[in-house]
Amino acid sequence: MATTKTSLEEYLSTNYRPDAEYIGGELKERNVGELEHARMVKAILRWFEQYESSWELEALPDVRVQVSAENYRVPDICLRPTANLDVRFVTATPAVVVEVLSPEDSISDYRARIADYRQKGIPGIWVVDPKTRKGWDCSSGNWIETVVFRLPDSPVYLDLSAVSSSR
């Protein structure tokens, strides 16, 4: 992944396609653009959309999430309270972030990403592999393999066996 130095002000005032992350004063490209990845993101969004009203959570794809004063991540899916007052970017702590693996993703990149999400205090940090249709709950810092993710003390869950990523 390529990185480019830039200021936080420039990052926040610029639209990138696809959107980039801002970590330590550098833009970091994200691995996106493959059909398998896009279809899984779409399917998970459809899953969450059916529960948005009852869970009072909004499912958003590819939105900038402020993980520290000067760092922004762009998870594949962010689940945030509908009562959230953020306007341009997610600055309040989301309930869940979901990352869908791409073939080019590396474990070291994901360790850093998960550490940022944990530092932000995000209670649900879920990583999904579209090839195996399994995933890992990384909320505790460990990679716990599962097909059913649950947010503790909440009705929020994701059942990969019930998610269809076909066309």
Side-chain angles (χ1 to χ4, degrees), residues 4 26 61 71 86 90 104 140 143 159 167:
T4 306
E26 294 182 335
N71 290 338
D86 291 336
V90 176
E104 301 84 14
S140 68
W143 289 61
D159 183 350
R167 294 181 192 192

Side-chain angles (χ1 to χ4, degrees), residues 9-68:
E9 294 75 25
E10 183 177 341
Y11 171 72
L12 293 176
S13 64
T14 304
N15 290 320
Y16 302 93
R17 294 289 178 244
D19 204 358
E21 296 183 321
Y22 185 81
I23 306 296
E26 294 182 335
L27 291 177
K28 292 195 173 270
E29 291 180 358
R30 297 169 45 240
N31 293 323
V32 296
E34 296 183 4
L35 286 174
E36 188 173 47
H37 179 273
R39 286 183 180 133
M40 181 57 76
V41 169
K42 180 180 173 183
I44 293 171
L45 283 169
R46 279 194 311 251
W47 168 269
F48 285 135
E49 284 174 355
Q50 67 184 330
Y51 298 108
E52 280 186 339
S53 295
S54 61
W55 291 348
E56 297 179 355
L57 293 171
E58 177 180 32
L60 299 169
D62 302 322
V63 65
R64 293 178 183 179
V65 175
Q66 184 179 30
V67 292
S68 67

